[in-house]
Amino acid sequence: MLEPLAPIGRDPDTDGYVRDAWSPAEMELREWFAGEAARRGLDLREDRNGNLWAWQGEPGPGRPGVVTGSHLDSVRQGGAYDGPLGVASAFAALDLLRARGVTPARPLGVVCFTDEEGARFGVPCVGSRLLTGALDPARALALKDDDGDTLADVLTKAGRDPGRLGRDDETLSAVGTFVELHVEQGRGLVHEGRPVGVASAIWPHGRWRFDFRGQANHAGTTRLADRDDPMLPFARMVLAAREAAARLGVVATVGKVRVSPGNANAVPGQVSAWLDARGAGERDVRALVRELAEGAHAAVAEESWTPVVSFDEALRDRLARVAGGDGTPAPVLPTGAGHDAGILATAGVPSAMLFVRNPTGVSHSPDEHAEQADCEAGVVALADVLEDLCR
Ligand SMILES: [Zn+2]
């Protein structure tokens, strides 16, 4: 099922994927989702926030369903598995249940959340955050991409009504339980020697924008003493982030920088940098950001913050038992990556995650990988879990 997706949004120079939300590549992936839903006779719906739902059986008031799925957008220059593996596995698990002759006693849904990565507008999990009310629709609509187009512009161009964005209780109430399968973004399962694991918690994490302002000027004629060069405090902030992260036992990354005017022969007038910080303890992550903000001489804005997510313990243990197959329970691992399952869990929807082994542990990169046999083990585990939850 992943094969027809392989060429969509692929950068031929790097083999990396660029699948921004609402881009032509992502629109093609949404078409693929609709086709897979139709092929199985599922009832396809797009909710007010652009998330896609394919239902087998009609969920209704007092009759919520079991939902599985993930997302189809990617980070820029991402891998083939982050997102699509969860969506393809959801359809494949449904096929497996049908092949087993299982008739679920509850409605079964496959979901594709929109704009999970936040590659285009800077805020991750836009689809699930809007759905649950965790993101204010007015704020979402004003978000701008690198071309200066707002989400409102982009939605309008895609034929959607921006005025419909916002918390959607009707859609949310159909989700009784959510299980997201995802490629592991680390090497926990490699160390465990197991193909499939279960998530225990998602670390608290956030993104901050640092704007360093100075004065643009000629690189040749401006004396060093006369310069107001924002690149220097920016560079100091990057080094300070690394040092503070090591000291506080968290991780901090500056992975995106915008330099204005961006000429090789000009002292920059402004440097904007994005800091991503995560860790097991919220206090330590907050301490890092506070320390950097105080020392940076920059305007600092928090673009997103996600508190720690501890998945429903009973559900987690049930998943570990079922997904372990006949042997010992599947290993339970924490993750530093955010997911739609975390947003739903925070909104009170019993949610859980299955991870599929990633031999390199590399993610958000073309080197991200999962062996065919492990993907198949993931589908079997997901089918077992859905069968158990749909009893
Ligand atoms: Zn993902």
Side-chain angles (χ1 to χ4, degrees):
M1 226 180 292
L2 290 172
E3 229 160 66
L5 304 187
I8 303 174
R10 183 196 247 153
D11 180 339
D13 295 333
T14 61
D15 275 344
Y17 287 97
V18 180
R19 293 165 168 172
D20 277 11
W22 305 106
S23 67
E26 206 231 8
M27 295 306 274
E28 206 177 322
L29 293 164
R30 297 168 75 88
E31 285 294 310
W32 171 84
F33 184 95
E36 293 297 315
R39 216 149 63 73
R40 292 169 176 82
L42 305 176
D43 182 16
L44 180 74
R45 289 167 211 177
E46 182 173 318
D47 69 21
R48 289 162 37 194
N49 298 299
N51 306 306
L52 297 172
W53 306 80
W55 283 102
Q56 171 179 302
E58 177 77 15
R63 197 177 133 74
V66 174
V67 179
T68 182
S70 191
H71 60 94
L72 292 172
D73 68 313
S74 76
V75 294
R76 300 203 175 143
Q77 303 298 337
Y81 296 87
D82 179 350
L85 181 64
V87 178
S89 297
F91 285 121
L94 210 121
D95 294 343
L96 190 52
L97 291 183
R98 288 180 177 182
R100 287 177 184 173
V102 173
T103 313
R106 299 171 68 183
L108 198 53
V110 178
V111 67
C112 166
F113 286 108
T114 188
D115 200 2
E116 193 274 343
E117 298 287 4
R120 185 167 188 176
F121 296 102
V123 175
C125 298
V126 168
S128 56
R129 280 184 213 261
L130 284 168
L131 168 72
T132 60
L135 175 63
D136 175 43
R139 188 188 157 209
L141 288 170
L143 293 170
K144 277 187 187 161
D145 66 12
D146 290 343
D147 295 331
D149 292 326
T150 63
L151 177 58
D153 298 334
V154 168
L155 286 174
T156 306
K157 262 179 233 161
R160 269 64 174 184
D161 178 3
R164 298 185 71 225
L165 253 55
R167 187 181 161 98
D168 183 349
D169 286 310
E170 196 187 334
T171 300
L172 197 55
S173 67
V175 188
T177 309
F178 178 55
V179 179
E180 178 169 5
L181 178 145
H182 205 277
V183 66
E184 195 194 357
Q185 297 169 292
R187 300 185 78 240
L189 290 170
V190 173
H191 294 303
E192 295 277 351
R194 300 285 294 272
V196 178
V198 175
S200 59
I202 297 177
W203 283 357
H205 56 281
R207 288 184 194 179
W208 292 264
R209 175 180 170 145
F210 284 62
D211 286 319
F212 300 87
R213 297 201 178 91
Q215 189 182 30
N217 215 328
H218 195 288
T221 59
T222 317
R223 294 189 316 161
L224 291 179
D226 294 337
R227 294 181 184 203
D228 182 4
D229 183 350
M231 191 63 87
L232 302 178
F234 158 69
R236 277 194 286 272
M237 186 277 276
V238 176
L239 295 173
R242 175 62 182 250
E243 186 277 319
R247 177 163 33 82
L248 292 163
V250 301
V251 289
T253 308
V254 180
K256 180 175 171 179
V257 185
R258 206 182 290 153
V259 180
S260 168
N263 296 325
N265 58 358
V267 175
Q270 177 163 332
V271 176
S272 296
W274 282 261
L275 172 77
D276 176 304
R278 311 163 190 232
E282 168 164 352
R283 229 167 16 147
D284 296 324
V285 177
R286 290 286 186 192
L288 172 122
V289 176
R290 205 178 320 115
E291 190 179 315
L292 294 179
E294 280 166 6
H297 303 291
V300 181
E302 180 173 295
E303 290 200 336
S304 71
W305 171 254
T306 310
V308 66
V309 176
S310 299
F311 288 111
D312 185 287
E313 275 181 41
L315 181 62
R316 183 194 70 196
D317 293 346
R318 185 173 173 181
L319 245 71
R321 214 165 42 240
V322 175
D326 295 333
T328 45
V332 177
L333 311 155
T335 175
H339 297 284
D340 295 309
I343 304 296
L344 265 63
T346 303
V349 178
S351 303
M353 292 191 74
L354 291 175
F355 292 132
V356 170
R357 177 164 54 192
N358 175 348
T360 61
V362 173
S363 186
H364 286 186
S365 148
D367 293 336
E368 182 181 277
H369 185 66
E371 296 291 343
Q372 181 73 19
D374 288 358
C375 293
E376 283 166 15
V379 170
V380 171
L382 181 60
D384 289 347
V385 162
L386 295 176
E387 187 174 345
D388 186 57
L389 292 171
C390 282
R391 259 186 239 287

